Each structure stands twice: as C-alpha cells, then as structure tokens.
Amino acid sequence: MDFDHITRPLTDDEAKAEAERIIARAYKSEPTSFRDDTPLPAYGDAPPVHQDDKRIVPAWAAGIAVASIGVGAGITGVGCGAWLVLQGLASVTLYGVLMVTLPFAGAAMVATAIGGAISKARNAVSKTVYEGPVVQNTQINNTSHQRGMFSRTRNDVR
C-alpha cells in the first residue's frame, strides 16, 4: 500500500488536483433520493418488511426510570397517608387532641421514669456525719479593667 501521500505534505500541483477532484465530485449529478412508485395492494396486508430495531437504552437510564417509578409510587403512598391524617385532624375535638397527644405523653412519662430510676441507681447511699465546729469563710475578689469602650469585670467568690 502507498501511504506516502499521508506522511508528507502535498505539493501545489497535487493540492490543486485534489481540490478539483473534490469539487467535481460534489457537483456531479447523481440522484440523492429514491422514490418507490410501485402500487400498493388495494386491500389486505402489505408484504412484510424487515425493520431493524436500533433503539439502545443504557442500563443506567433504565435503572433511573425504574427508580423514578418507585419513588413516585412511594411518594403517592406518603401523600395518601398525610391526607388521611389531615382529614382526621380537620375535625378537631378535645377527645381527638387528647388521643393524638396520648402516645407522646405516654412516651414522655416512660422516659421520665427510666431517667429517674437511672439517676437514683447512680447515687451512692452514703450518710456522712460531721462532728465539730463548722467555719465558713467567704472571700470576694473583684477586679475591673476599663479600656476605652470595652470593660471587663471579674468576680471570684470563694
């Protein structure tokens, strides 16, 4: 095979000849379309024609389509549940409010009872008896610093 014309640049004469060949081929009068004028059958089925299926759906696109259908169905279920809850809350009565808040109050009561039990279990049982005189000294140290617009006061109580 001759690959010489690919690896080296064309001379002026070769470039001119190639340009004329391309232009002549572009303006050559060849039919660019075809029309089939054969008559179709007056009735009945048309003859079968093979048609290639060239549709290609990537796996990620099919996955997104399936996921969007699932999300849409899930959101529809959530919306129906919210609608039912709001329909129930639309007819607000004292008993309805009590019934809605009853589970929360029960959970709070159980949590408080568990917390109290844990708190009492953590406290060690000790009885300390002090004997003798008790002296309490209170000393207050107050320092202030004022500089311009800002000031700081520190109180130490012992």
Side-chain angles (χ1 to χ4, degrees):
M1 298 198 121
D2 181 25
F3 293 106
D4 192 35
H5 67 281
I6 296 174
T7 58
R8 65 173 176 78
L10 297 176
T11 63
D12 290 338
D13 293 334
E14 290 173 338
K16 184 177 179 184
E18 183 67 17
E20 288 175 359
R21 185 189 65 79
I22 292 171
I23 291 170
R25 189 168 130 200
Y27 285 107
K28 189 189 266 186
S29 62
E30 292 180 4
T32 57
S33 64
F34 174 75
R35 181 175 178 148
D36 185 12
D37 290 329
T38 57
L40 293 174
Y43 60 91
D45 294 335
V49 177
H50 179 72
Q51 298 176 353
D52 291 331
D53 187 13
K54 297 187 179 186
R55 294 175 293 165
I56 298 173
V57 177
W60 62 266
I64 288 175
V66 170
S68 65
I69 291 171
V71 168
I75 292 297
T76 302
V78 170
C80 289
W83 180 79
L84 287 172
V85 168
L86 294 175
Q87 281 293 97
L89 291 177
S91 59
V92 175
T93 62
L94 177 61
Y95 295 121
V97 170
L98 292 177
M99 294 307 284
V100 167
T101 58
L102 186 62
F104 299 113
M109 186 174 66
V110 169
T112 305
I114 290 172
I118 291 173
S119 174
K120 288 193 182 218
R122 280 189 182 171
N123 289 340
V125 177
S126 65
K127 294 186 179 181
T128 306
V129 178
Y130 294 103
E131 294 180 7
V134 176
V135 177
Q136 180 176 359
N137 292 326
T138 302
Q139 181 180 4
I140 298 174
N141 294 328
N142 186 352
T143 59
S144 293
H145 298 286
Q146 290 91 16
R147 290 190 185 127
M149 200 166 86
F150 301 102
S151 65
R152 185 174 92 179
T153 301
R154 176 177 229 158
N155 294 322
D156 294 326
V157 178
R158 293 182 194 174

Coordinates of all heavy atoms in Angstrom, one line a residue, residues 44-102:
G44 N -56.1 -5.9 1.9 CA -55.2 -7.0 2.5 C -54.0 -6.4 3.2 O -53.8 -5.2 3.3
D45 N -53.2 -7.3 3.6 CA -51.9 -7.0 4.3 C -50.9 -6.6 3.3 O -50.8 -7.1 2.2 CB -51.4 -8.2 5.2 CG -52.4 -8.5 6.3 OD1 -53.1 -7.6 6.7 OD2 -52.4 -9.6 6.7
A46 N -50.1 -5.6 3.8 CA -48.9 -5.3 3.0 C -47.8 -6.3 3.2 O -47.8 -7.0 4.2 CB -48.4 -3.9 3.4
P47 N -47.0 -6.5 2.2 CA -45.9 -7.5 2.4 C -45.0 -7.1 3.6 O -44.7 -5.9 3.8 CB -45.2 -7.5 1.1 CG -45.5 -6.2 0.4 CD -46.9 -5.8 0.9
P48 N -44.5 -8.1 4.3 CA -43.7 -7.8 5.5 C -42.3 -7.2 5.0 O -41.8 -7.6 4.0 CB -43.5 -9.1 6.2 CG -43.7 -10.1 5.1 CD -44.7 -9.5 4.2
V49 N -41.9 -6.2 5.8 CA -40.6 -5.6 5.5 C -39.8 -5.7 6.8 O -40.3 -5.3 7.9 CB -40.7 -4.1 5.1 CG1 -39.4 -3.5 4.9 CG2 -41.6 -4.0 3.8
H50 N -38.6 -6.2 6.7 CA -37.7 -6.3 7.9 C -37.3 -4.9 8.4 O -36.8 -4.1 7.6 CB -36.5 -7.2 7.6 CG -35.6 -7.3 8.8 ND1 -35.9 -8.1 9.8 CD2 -34.4 -6.8 9.0 CE1 -34.9 -8.0 10.7 NE2 -34.0 -7.2 10.3
Q51 N -37.5 -4.6 9.6 CA -37.1 -3.4 10.2 C -36.2 -3.6 11.4 O -36.6 -4.2 12.4 CB -38.3 -2.6 10.6 CG -39.2 -2.2 9.5 CD -40.5 -1.5 9.9 OE1 -40.7 -1.4 11.1 NE2 -41.3 -1.0 9.0
D52 N -35.0 -3.2 11.3 CA -34.0 -3.4 12.4 C -34.4 -2.5 13.6 O -34.8 -1.4 13.4 CB -32.6 -3.1 12.0 CG -32.1 -4.1 10.9 OD1 -32.6 -5.3 11.0 OD2 -31.3 -3.7 10.1
D53 N -34.3 -3.1 14.8 CA -34.6 -2.3 16.0 C -33.2 -1.8 16.5 O -32.4 -2.5 16.9 CB -35.2 -3.2 17.1 CG -35.7 -2.4 18.3 OD1 -35.7 -1.1 18.2 OD2 -36.0 -3.0 19.3
K54 N -33.0 -0.5 16.3 CA -31.7 0.1 16.6 C -31.9 1.0 17.9 O -31.0 1.8 18.1 CB -31.2 0.9 15.5 CG -31.0 0.1 14.3 CD -30.3 0.8 13.2 CE -30.1 -0.1 12.0 NZ -29.3 0.4 11.0
R55 N -32.9 0.8 18.6 CA -33.0 1.6 19.9 C -32.2 0.9 20.9 O -32.3 -0.3 21.2 CB -34.5 1.6 20.3 CG -35.4 2.4 19.4 CD -36.8 2.3 19.9 NE -37.2 0.9 19.7 CZ -38.3 0.4 20.2 NH1 -39.1 1.1 21.0 NH2 -38.6 -0.9 20.0
I56 N -31.3 1.7 21.5 CA -30.5 1.2 22.6 C -30.7 2.0 23.8 O -30.5 3.2 23.8 CB -29.0 1.2 22.2 CG1 -28.8 0.3 21.0 CG2 -28.1 0.8 23.3 CD1 -27.4 0.5 20.4
V57 N -31.2 1.4 24.9 CA -31.4 2.1 26.2 C -30.3 1.7 27.1 O -30.1 0.5 27.4 CB -32.8 1.7 26.8 CG1 -33.0 2.4 28.1 CG2 -33.9 2.1 25.8
P58 N -29.5 2.6 27.6 CA -28.4 2.3 28.5 C -29.0 1.7 29.8 O -30.1 2.1 30.2 CB -27.7 3.6 28.8 CG -28.2 4.6 27.8 CD -29.5 4.0 27.3
A59 N -28.2 0.9 30.5 CA -28.7 0.3 31.8 C -28.9 1.4 32.8 O -29.9 1.3 33.6 CB -27.6 -0.7 32.3
W60 N -28.1 2.4 32.9 CA -28.3 3.5 33.9 C -29.6 4.2 33.6 O -30.3 4.6 34.6 CB -27.2 4.4 33.9 CG -26.9 5.2 32.6 CD1 -26.1 4.9 31.6 CD2 -27.6 6.4 32.2 NE1 -26.2 5.8 30.6 CE2 -27.1 6.8 31.0 CE3 -28.5 7.2 32.8 CZ2 -27.5 7.9 30.3 CZ3 -28.9 8.4 32.1 CH2 -28.4 8.7 30.9
A61 N -30.0 4.4 32.3 CA -31.3 5.1 32.0 C -32.5 4.2 32.4 O -33.5 4.7 33.0 CB -31.4 5.4 30.6
A62 N -32.4 2.9 32.2 CA -33.5 2.0 32.6 C -33.6 2.0 34.1 O -34.7 2.0 34.7 CB -33.2 0.6 32.1
G63 N -32.4 2.0 34.8 CA -32.4 2.0 36.3 C -33.0 3.2 36.8 O -33.8 3.2 37.8
I64 N -32.7 4.4 36.2 CA -33.3 5.6 36.7 C -34.8 5.6 36.5 O -35.6 6.1 37.3 CB -32.6 6.8 36.0 CG1 -31.2 7.0 36.6 CG2 -33.4 8.1 36.2 CD1 -30.4 8.1 35.9
A65 N -35.3 5.1 35.3 CA -36.7 5.1 35.0 C -37.4 4.2 36.1 O -38.5 4.6 36.6 CB -36.9 4.5 33.6
V66 N -36.9 3.0 36.4 CA -37.5 2.2 37.4 C -37.5 2.8 38.8 O -38.5 2.8 39.5 CB -36.8 0.8 37.4 CG1 -37.3 0.0 38.6 CG2 -37.0 0.1 36.1
A67 N -36.4 3.5 39.1 CA -36.3 4.1 40.4 C -37.3 5.3 40.5 O -37.9 5.5 41.6 CB -34.9 4.6 40.7
S68 N -37.4 6.0 39.4 CA -38.4 7.1 39.5 C -39.8 6.6 39.6 O -40.6 7.3 40.3 CB -38.2 8.0 38.2 OG -38.6 7.3 37.1
I69 N -40.1 5.5 39.0 CA -41.5 4.9 39.2 C -41.7 4.5 40.6 O -42.7 4.8 41.2 CB -41.7 3.8 38.2 CG1 -41.8 4.3 36.8 CG2 -42.9 3.0 38.6 CD1 -41.7 3.2 35.8
G70 N -40.6 3.9 41.2 CA -40.7 3.5 42.6 C -40.9 4.7 43.6 O -41.7 4.7 44.5
V71 N -40.1 5.7 43.3 CA -40.2 6.9 44.2 C -41.5 7.6 44.0 O -42.1 8.0 45.0 CB -39.0 7.9 43.8 CG1 -39.2 9.3 44.5 CG2 -37.7 7.3 44.3
G72 N -42.0 7.6 42.8 CA -43.4 8.2 42.6 C -44.4 7.5 43.3 O -45.3 8.0 44.0
A73 N -44.4 6.1 43.3 CA -45.4 5.3 44.0 C -45.2 5.5 45.5 O -46.2 5.6 46.2 CB -45.2 3.8 43.6
G74 N -44.0 5.6 46.0 CA -43.8 5.8 47.4 C -44.3 7.1 47.9 O -44.9 7.2 48.9
I75 N -44.0 8.2 47.1 CA -44.5 9.5 47.5 C -46.0 9.6 47.5 O -46.6 10.2 48.3 CB -43.9 10.6 46.6 CG1 -42.4 10.6 46.8 CG2 -44.5 11.9 46.7 CD1 -42.0 11.1 48.2
T76 N -46.6 8.8 46.5 CA -48.1 8.8 46.5 C -48.6 8.2 47.7 O -49.6 8.7 48.3 CB -48.5 8.0 45.2 OG1 -48.0 8.6 44.1 CG2 -50.0 8.0 45.1
G77 N -48.0 7.1 48.2 CA -48.4 6.5 49.5 C -48.3 7.4 50.7 O -49.2 7.5 51.5
V78 N -47.1 8.1 50.7 CA -46.9 9.1 51.8 C -48.0 10.2 51.7 O -48.5 10.6 52.7 CB -45.5 9.7 51.7 CG1 -45.3 10.9 52.7 CG2 -44.5 8.6 52.0
G79 N -48.3 10.7 50.5 CA -49.3 11.7 50.4 C -50.7 11.2 50.8 O -51.4 12.0 51.4
C80 N -51.0 10.0 50.5 CA -52.3 9.5 50.9 C -52.4 9.4 52.4 O -53.4 9.7 53.0 CB -52.6 8.1 50.2 SG -52.9 8.2 48.5
G81 N -51.3 8.9 53.0 CA -51.2 8.8 54.5 C -51.4 10.2 55.1 O -52.1 10.4 56.1
A82 N -50.7 11.2 54.6 CA -50.8 12.5 55.1 C -52.2 13.1 54.9 O -52.7 13.7 55.8 CB -49.8 13.5 54.4
W83 N -52.8 12.8 53.8 CA -54.2 13.2 53.6 C -55.1 12.6 54.6 O -56.0 13.3 55.2 CB -54.6 12.8 52.2 CG -56.0 13.3 51.9 CD1 -56.4 14.5 51.5 CD2 -57.2 12.4 51.9 NE1 -57.8 14.5 51.3 CE2 -58.3 13.3 51.5 CE3 -57.4 11.1 52.2 CZ2 -59.6 12.8 51.5 CZ3 -58.7 10.6 52.1 CH2 -59.8 11.4 51.8
L84 N -55.0 11.3 54.9 CA -55.8 10.7 55.9 C -55.6 11.3 57.3 O -56.6 11.6 58.0 CB -55.5 9.2 56.0 CG -56.1 8.4 54.8 CD1 -55.6 7.0 54.8 CD2 -57.6 8.4 54.7
V85 N -54.3 11.6 57.7 CA -54.1 12.2 59.0 C -54.7 13.6 59.0 O -55.3 14.0 60.0 CB -52.6 12.2 59.2 CG1 -52.2 13.1 60.4 CG2 -52.0 10.8 59.5
L86 N -54.5 14.4 58.0 CA -55.0 15.7 58.0 C -56.6 15.7 57.9 O -57.2 16.6 58.5 CB -54.4 16.5 56.8 CG -52.9 16.8 56.9 CD1 -52.4 17.4 55.7 CD2 -52.6 17.6 58.2
Q87 N -57.2 14.8 57.3 CA -58.6 14.7 57.3 C -59.1 14.4 58.8 O -60.1 14.9 59.2 CB -59.1 13.5 56.4 CG -59.1 13.9 54.9 CD -60.1 14.9 54.6 OE1 -59.8 16.1 54.5 NE2 -61.4 14.5 54.5
G88 N -58.3 13.6 59.5 CA -58.7 13.3 60.9 C -58.5 14.5 61.7 O -59.3 14.8 62.7
L89 N -57.4 15.3 61.5 CA -57.2 16.4 62.3 C -58.1 17.6 61.9 O -58.2 18.6 62.7 CB -55.7 16.9 62.1 CG -54.7 16.0 62.7 CD1 -53.3 16.5 62.4 CD2 -54.9 15.8 64.2
A90 N -58.7 17.5 60.8 CA -59.6 18.6 60.4 C -60.8 18.7 61.3 O -61.4 19.8 61.5 CB -60.0 18.4 58.9
S91 N -61.3 17.6 61.8 CA -62.4 17.6 62.7 C -61.8 17.5 64.2 O -61.9 16.5 64.8 CB -63.3 16.4 62.5 OG -62.6 15.2 62.6
V92 N -61.2 18.6 64.6 CA -60.6 18.7 65.9 C -61.6 18.8 67.0 O -62.5 19.7 67.0 CB -59.6 19.9 65.9 CG1 -59.0 20.0 67.3 CG2 -58.5 19.7 64.9
T93 N -61.5 17.9 67.9 CA -62.3 17.9 69.1 C -61.3 17.7 70.3 O -60.2 17.4 70.1 CB -63.4 16.8 69.2 OG1 -62.7 15.6 69.1 CG2 -64.3 16.9 68.0
L94 N -61.8 17.9 71.5 CA -61.0 17.7 72.7 C -60.5 16.3 72.8 O -59.3 16.0 73.0 CB -61.7 18.1 74.0 CG -61.0 17.9 75.3 CD1 -59.7 18.7 75.3 CD2 -61.8 18.2 76.4
Y95 N -61.4 15.4 72.5 CA -61.0 13.9 72.6 C -60.0 13.6 71.5 O -59.1 12.8 71.7 CB -62.3 13.1 72.4 CG -63.2 13.2 73.6 CD1 -64.5 13.7 73.4 CD2 -62.8 13.0 74.9 CE1 -65.4 13.8 74.4 CE2 -63.7 13.2 75.9 CZ -65.0 13.6 75.7 OH -65.8 13.7 76.7
G96 N -60.2 14.2 70.3 CA -59.2 14.0 69.2 C -57.9 14.5 69.6 O -56.9 13.8 69.3
V97 N -57.8 15.7 70.1 CA -56.5 16.2 70.5 C -55.8 15.3 71.6 O -54.6 15.0 71.6 CB -56.6 17.7 71.0 CG1 -55.3 18.2 71.7 CG2 -57.0 18.6 69.9
L98 N -56.7 14.9 72.6 CA -56.1 14.0 73.6 C -55.6 12.7 73.1 O -54.6 12.2 73.5 CB -57.2 13.8 74.7 CG -57.6 15.0 75.6 CD1 -58.7 14.7 76.5 CD2 -56.3 15.5 76.3
M99 N -56.4 12.1 72.1 CA -55.9 10.9 71.5 C -54.7 11.0 70.7 O -53.9 10.1 70.6 CB -57.1 10.3 70.7 CG -58.3 9.9 71.5 SD -57.9 8.8 72.8 CE -57.6 7.3 72.0
V100 N -54.5 12.2 70.1 CA -53.3 12.4 69.3 C -52.1 12.6 70.2 O -51.0 12.1 69.9 CB -53.4 13.6 68.3 CG1 -52.1 14.1 67.7 CG2 -54.4 13.3 67.2
T101 N -52.3 13.3 71.3 CA -51.1 13.6 72.2 C -50.9 12.5 73.2 O -49.8 12.5 73.9 CB -51.4 14.9 72.9 OG1 -52.6 14.8 73.7 CG2 -51.4 16.1 72.0
L102 N -51.8 11.5 73.4 CA -51.7 10.5 74.3 C -50.4 9.6 74.1 O -49.7 9.4 75.1 CB -52.9 9.6 74.3 CG -53.0 8.5 75.4 CD1 -53.0 9.2 76.8 CD2 -54.2 7.7 75.2

